[in-house]
Amino acid sequence: MYKYCLECGWQVSTSDGYSEAEVSKQAIEHFVETGHAVDSLRLPPPEILEN
Ligand SMILES: [Zn+2]
């Protein structure tokens, strides 16, 4: 889970050591504090195999 702001450089990711719940909470807090639109991205699976 990766969330980022469309209007400033803010971002937070589970790869920073946060749980998904914490990432979501911080995104909501950023929106509430700044009014900025936050978009989210699911990280792709580590490996995609095609046969
Ligand atoms: Zn922002």
Side-chain angles (χ1 to χ4, degrees):
M1 171 87 68
Y2 170 68
K3 286 184 183 283
Y4 61 97
C5 182
L6 298 174
E7 301 183 45
C8 73
W10 182 90
Q11 61 182 44
V12 63
S13 164
T14 48
S15 64
D16 295 329
Y18 298 110
S19 70
E20 291 206 356
E22 286 170 330
V23 169
S24 296
K25 184 165 176 269
Q26 292 197 33
I28 291 167
E29 286 176 353
H30 183 72
F31 173 74
V32 168
E33 288 173 5
T34 66
H36 292 172
V38 175
D39 206 351
S40 65
L41 203 70
R42 282 223 165 253
L43 297 177
E47 200 174 347
I48 298 173
L49 297 177
E50 289 185 24
N51 294 319

